[in-house]
Amino acid sequence: MKGLKVMWESRAKSGLTIGLLAGGLWALAIPMAVDDYWLRLLTTSVIYVVVAAGVGLLFSRLGIVSLNQIALMGVGGWIFLRLSYWLDAVPSMLIMCLAGLATMGIGVLIGLPSLRLSGLSLAVVTLMFAAFAEIVFTSIGFPTGNNGWRGEPAPGETSVPIPSPAFAESNTGLWFYVVITTTVMLLLLWVFLTGRWGRAWAAIKQSEPGAVSIGIHVTSSKVTALAVVSFTTGVSGALLAVPTGSLVSQSFSAISSVILFAVVLIGGAFSLVGAVLAGLLFVALPPALEALVARIPVVLELLGPTFTNLIYVAFGIGLIQSLIASPRGIAGDLAGVGVRLRRAQRWPLDPSDAVFAFIVLVVPPLSLALLDLSLAVYVVAAIWISLWLVHPLRTLWPSRSPRGIALIGIAVGLLIGALGFLAGPWVCLLAALLVVVSVNFLRKRLARRLVKMDEELASEGIHAQL
Amino acid sequence: MIAGLALGALYALSGVGLVLLYRATGVLNLAYGAVGALCALVGWELNQSRGLPLELGILITILLTVTANVLYGVLVAPLMAHRSAVVQATGTLGLALACLGIANWYWTDKARALRLPTDALRFEVLGVVISSTQVLAVLLVLVVAAVATWLLRVTRWGTNMRALAADRELTSLLGVSVRKIEALAWGLSGILAGVSAVLLASLTLFSAGWLTFLVIPALAAALVGRLRSLWGTVAGGITIGLAESLLAPVSALAQFRSVAPFVIAIAVTVWHARKRTYEMRPSA
Amino acid sequence: MLNCKDVVVKFGGVRGLDGVSLTFERGISGLVGPNGAGKTTMLNVLSGFVSPSSGRVEFDGLDLLSMNPTGRARWGLRRTFQQEQSVDSLTVWENLLVAAENLGSRPADARQIADLVGLTELDRPVPLLSMLERRLLELGRTIMGRPRILLLDEPVAGLPEAESLMFAPLIERICEEFSLTVVLVDHDMDFVTRACSNIAVLDFGRLIAYGDCVSVLSDPAVEAAYLGVSNES
C-alpha cells in the first residue's frame, strides 16, 4: 500500500518538479530577453494565468461554467485597495490573503444557491453578477488613498494613489514578486487537485449519482472548488493593484469575463500550459497584434484603428471550435504531439519523461537567456522541428533503428535552424513547413500501404486457422 | 411608471424569445442580444448612409436576425446537441463575442439614436404622456406570449418542439424532422430578438454593448419563469422593468437601478434552490 | 432487518411502486420481475434517489427516509448502478481511495478490500480494466468503511457466463464478512437462484410473491407474470 502511494505521489511530484524547474527557468530568462514594456505586459499576463487556471479547473474538473471571474478579480482588488489604506502597517502579503478570503465569501454566496439548481443556472447567475459588478465598479469607482468608505477624492481634493511597496519600484522586482505569488496560488490549486478533493471532483464529473453513492457530498464539494478558485482569483485581483496602487473599472467589464472563459477553452482548460496560453492570449495578444499591424500600414488601412475588436470574433469562433472539436485546447493538442512522440520510440525521448521535458521546456528558455535573441529563436526552432520530424520519419522507415531516425531528425532540424539563421526567418519557416508537410504526406501514403498489408496478413491468418 | 412598464414588456418579449427557444431546442441563447444589436446596427447603417426608408431598414434588421439565428441553429448548434445544456449555452457565448466584435469594430461602442415613427405619436392619459412605441411594446408582448402558448400547446409544430426538447434522438426516431423544427424555433426566436432590439434601441440607448447585455434582464425574466413558463417570464420581465423605473427617482439608488434583474434573479434562484433534486441519469 | 411498508412512488400519473411492503432479512435476497416492474425504482427509494410519495423504510427501527442519499451512503447503505460508475480519470487505487475517504475508512482498509475482491495492479487507469475487473472494483468501492446494507443493481450485467459464476460466492463471502443485508436485482435467474436465499417478485409496481427460491419459482402468479413469458420465448 505504502509503495503504491509513494509511487503515485512520486509520479505526480516528478511532474511538479519538472513544471517548477521549467517555469523557474522561463521566469529567469524572460526579464533578460524582453524590454520594459513587454516585461510589464507579461507580468500582467502571469497574474491572469492564475485566474485562467481557476476557470479551467472549474470547467474541466467539474463542468462548472463560471462567467464572473474577472468581476471577482475586481472585487479582490477593490477590497485590497481599501484594506491597504486602513491597515497600512500590515504587510501587503497578508492584506492580499484577507482580500482573497473576502472574495471567496462573495464567490461562494453567488454560487451556492444556483449550484443546488443546475450548472446552467450557475452560468446565468454568474454572468448576471459580472454585469452587476460592472455597473457597481463604474458608478462607485475603485478606492484611492482618500478618506471615506469609497476612498474617492472629495470635490477639490486630488486623488492620492496608495503607495506601492518597495519591490514594485523596478519592473524586474515586480516580475519576480508576481511570479512567486502566482506560483504559490497555482500550488494551492495543485494541492487541492491532487488530493482528496480532486478525487471527489473526478468522481462527481464522472457521475453525480455514482459520487453520492460513495458518500460524496456533491454540493459541498463543488462549493469547495468554487471557494478555492474564488480565493486565488481574489488574490490575483489584489496583485493587479499592487504595482500602481490603483485600478480602473474598465479592466473588469462583464464582457472580459466572457472573453477570459473563451481564451481558457482555446488555450486548454485541462492543464497549466493551457492556463499560461490563456493568460498570454488575454493580456498580451491584443497589444502584440497592435504592434505587429502598426508596422504593416496596408493592413492597418484595410482594418481601421479599431481592428483589435476583431480579436473578439476570433475568440468567439475559437470558443465554439474548442467546445466542438478540441476540448483540451491548444495545450491538449501540444501534449498529444508529445505523447505520440513518446509512444513512437524509446531512444531520444526516454529513458525518462524528464529528458523529453528537458528538451522541450528547459532548453528554449536557457538558450533565450544565454544566447543572442535571434540565434536562440533558431535553436528553439531546430529543436521543435527535430521533434516534429522524428515520429513521421519513424513510420516512413520502420526498419531503421530509432537512434538513426532520431539522428536524422535532429540533423534536419539543425540544418533548417542554421538555414534560418543565415537566410532569415521566412526561409526557415518555409523550409520547415515544406519538410514537415512532405514527410507527413509520404508517411500517410505509406501508412495506407501498411494497413493494406496488415489486412492481407490478417485474412491469411484467418484462412490458416480455418 | 409607464416607461417602466414598456421597458419591462420588452424584457418580457426577449425573455419569451429565450424561453421559446430553450423549450424547443434546449439551447439557452446567450447571444440573443448581441445578434439583435449587430443586425439593428446594419439596418440603421442602411437607413442613415444608404438612404433606405426606415421601415425597410427595420425589416432588414429582422430578416438578418432570423437568418443569423437560423444559420447558427442549423449549422453550429446541432454539433453540440448531445452535450449538456450549459455547454450549449456556452457555445452561444462564442456567437455573442463574434457579433459584439464585429459591431465594435465597424460601428464602435458609441451610442446612437433610433427614432421610430411611433415615437412621435404621443397622447395623454390622466396627465401622463405616453408614446405609441410604449403601447406597442406592451401590446406586443401580450400577443406574442398568447400566440406562443397556443403554438406550443395546440399545434403539431408545438408538440414536436416539446418532444424535441425532451429527447432529441427519440423524436427523430418518431419521424419528426428535427432540423426543420429546430430551424423554425431559431427563426421565431430570431424575429423576437430583432423586434425587441429595434424597440429597445428606440426606447432607451442604441449601442452594441448595451443591447448585447439586454440578454441579462431577459435571462432574469426567463429565470422567474423557471425557463419554462411563458406567462411567468412575462410577469418577471414586467416586474424587473417596473423595479428599475421605481428605483430611478430615488437619487441614492438611481445609478444602481440596472442591478434589479440580478437581485431578482438571485432571489428567485434562492427560492427555487430550497430543495435539491437529483439527476437520475448516470452519464455513460 | 430492512423493512419497507406501503411504499408508493408516482411518476406523474403512473405508479412506479404501488404499495409495496416487504422485509429483507440479513443475508442475500433477490428482487426480480419483468422490465418496468419497479425493481430499480425500489433500489432508488431505498438509497434515497427517489422520494416515495407515501410509505416507510426502516432498518432495525431506524427511519431511513429521514436521511439524504449521501447521508445514507455514509451511514452504511451502499448501492451499485446498472451502469458501473468507476471514475475513468483515476486509477484503480484512487478509485478505492476516494470511496474510502468519503465513507470513513482508512487507506489500509482500502488495501485489504482490494485483496478481498481480488484486484491486483492497482496503479492501472480504469479504462484499461476488463469488464470483470470494473465490476470487482465497483463492488470493492461499496464495502468501504462500515457497510450495513448493500443494494446491487445487475452486478453481473455484461459479463460472460463463466465470469459471472464466480460472483455469487464472492457476494456471499462479503455478506458474511460484514454481516450485511444484501438486495440483489438481476435478470439472470440462474445467477439469482444461485446467490439468494429469498426472492421477491415485483410486477407492475406490486409485490406478487416473496419467499424462498423453490416456493417462489413454483408460484403460479410468478409463472404467469414473468417466468412463463420467458419460458415461452
Side-chain angles (χ1 to χ4, degrees), chain C residues 36-219:
Chain C
K39 308 176 298 268
T40 298
T41 308
M42 191 69 201
L43 292 198
N44 284 343
V45 168
L46 292 176
S47 55
F49 289 99
V50 168
S51 304
S53 35
S54 67
R56 302 171 58 77
V57 178
E58 287 173 348
F59 183 78
D60 289 347
L62 178 80
D63 179 20
L64 288 183
L65 292 180
S66 64
M67 289 189 271
N68 67 12
T70 308
R72 280 184 226 191
R74 290 190 174 174
W75 167 81
L77 191 153
R78 307 291 164 67
R79 73 165 293 177
T80 65
F81 297 85
Q82 280 177 19
Q83 179 130 37
E84 54 88 36
Q85 303 284 316
S86 311
V87 186
D88 286 336
S89 54
L90 300 178
T91 62
V92 178
W93 170 245
E94 287 175 312
N95 262 288
L96 292 168
L97 198 60
V98 66
E101 283 163 344
N102 289 287
L103 293 170
S105 176
R106 288 170 303 137
D109 303 333
R111 177 73 202 184
Q112 277 180 355
I113 281 171
D115 287 342
L116 179 68
V117 295
L119 279 170
T120 51
E121 295 182 64
L122 301 185
D123 61 327
R124 279 176 301 168
V126 167
L128 295 185
L129 297 186
S130 68
M131 200 60 212
L132 175 66
E133 286 169 317
R134 293 179 81 116
R135 289 288 180 190
L136 288 174
L137 174 59
E138 177 184 43
L139 197 61
R141 273 157 48 108
T142 56
I143 52 174
M144 293 290 169
R146 187 173 168 358
R148 297 166 207 255
I149 304 170
L150 193 55
L151 313 174
L152 301 173
D153 199 348
E154 305 196 11
V156 294
L159 290 183
E161 177 109 28
E163 288 180 345
S164 69
L165 280 181
M166 63 161 287
F167 240 83
L170 179 62
I171 293 172
E172 267 163 37
R173 203 163 77 233
I174 286 170
C175 179
E176 264 167 44
E177 180 124 337
F178 298 95
S179 70
L180 294 174
T181 306
V182 180
V183 179
L184 198 157
V185 168
D186 214 299
H187 277 296
D188 183 349
M189 283 308 290
D190 274 353
F191 177 68
V192 174
T193 45
R194 183 172 291 127
C196 306
S197 45
N198 284 317
I199 298 181
V201 185
L202 289 177
D203 193 22
F204 290 111
R206 287 171 187 276
L207 183 69
I208 56 171
Y210 185 41
D212 62 84
C213 292
V214 183
S215 65
V216 165
L217 287 182
S218 55
D219 191 313

Side-chain angles (χ1 to χ4, degrees), chain A residues 215-277:
Chain A
I216 293 172
H217 218 294
V218 173
T219 308
S220 61
S221 300
K222 284 185 179 175
V223 167
T224 308
L226 216 53
V228 179
V229 168
S230 301
F231 175 79
T232 55
T233 304
V235 172
S236 331
L239 208 51
L240 209 55
V242 163
T244 54
S246 64
L247 288 171
V248 287
S249 54
Q250 284 90 321
S251 326
F252 307 102
S253 65
I255 201 72
S256 58
S257 288
V258 176
I259 292 172
L260 183 78
F261 191 83
V263 293
V264 166
L265 280 193
I266 294 168
F270 280 80
S271 69
L272 182 62
V273 179
V276 173
L277 284 174

Side-chain angles (χ1 to χ4, degrees), chain A residues 235-465:
Chain A
V235 172
S236 331
L239 208 51
L240 209 55
V242 163
T244 54
S246 64
L247 288 171
V248 287
S249 54
Q250 284 90 321
S251 326
F252 307 102
S253 65
I255 201 72
S256 58
S257 288
V258 176
I259 292 172
L260 183 78
F261 191 83
V263 293
V264 166
L265 280 193
I266 294 168
F270 280 80
S271 69
L272 182 62
V273 179
V276 173
L277 284 174
L280 287 174
L281 285 175
F282 188 76
V283 180
L285 182 65
L289 271 186
E290 241 168 60
L292 188 72
V293 171
R295 290 191 201 161
I296 318 170
V298 187
V299 180
L300 189 63
E301 209 168 304
L302 192 71
L303 297 179
T306 51
F307 73 91
T308 39
N309 282 305
L310 287 177
I311 299 176
Y312 289 9
V313 182
F315 285 165
I317 295 170
L319 171 65
I320 296 173
Q321 193 264 346
S322 307
L323 282 174
I324 293 172
S326 156
R328 283 169 182 268
I330 299 172
D333 295 346
L334 284 178
V337 172
V339 168
R340 279 207 304 282
L341 282 172
R342 264 178 300 162
R343 283 204 192 127
Q345 61 263 307
R346 315 306 299 174
W347 179 67
L349 307 161
D350 254 312
S352 77
D353 298 349
V355 175
F356 177 70
F358 182 78
I359 294 174
V360 178
L361 298 173
V362 178
V363 174
L366 261 186
S367 47
L368 265 179
L370 299 179
L371 303 173
D372 173 35
L373 183 64
S374 57
L375 184 59
V377 169
Y378 296 111
V379 172
V380 175
I383 291 167
W384 277 98
I385 292 164
S386 313
L387 290 172
W388 268 100
L389 276 179
V390 169
H391 175 64
L393 282 176
R394 175 93 181 97
T395 40
L396 204 55
W397 289 303
S399 51
R400 282 278 168 92
S401 78
R403 189 184 294 254
I405 296 283
L407 283 178
I408 294 173
I410 290 170
V412 176
L414 283 177
L415 200 71
I416 295 175
L419 191 70
F421 185 61
L422 295 175
W426 292 110
V427 178
C428 173
L429 200 68
L430 259 173
L433 267 178
L434 203 70
V435 170
V436 171
V437 166
S438 55
V439 167
N440 267 306
F441 177 71
L442 282 175
R443 181 175 68 103
K444 279 216 179 96
R445 285 186 54 180
L446 192 78
R448 238 175 275 145
R449 226 167 61 209
L450 285 177
V451 168
K452 230 181 233 165
M453 269 164 63
D454 269 1
E455 279 168 358
E456 279 164 17
L457 281 177
S459 62
E460 272 171 27
I462 291 167
H463 287 307
Q465 274 181 3

Side-chain angles (χ1 to χ4, degrees), chain A residues 151-162:
Chain A
E152 64 170 11
E157 221 178 351
T158 52
S159 90
V160 190
I162 287 160

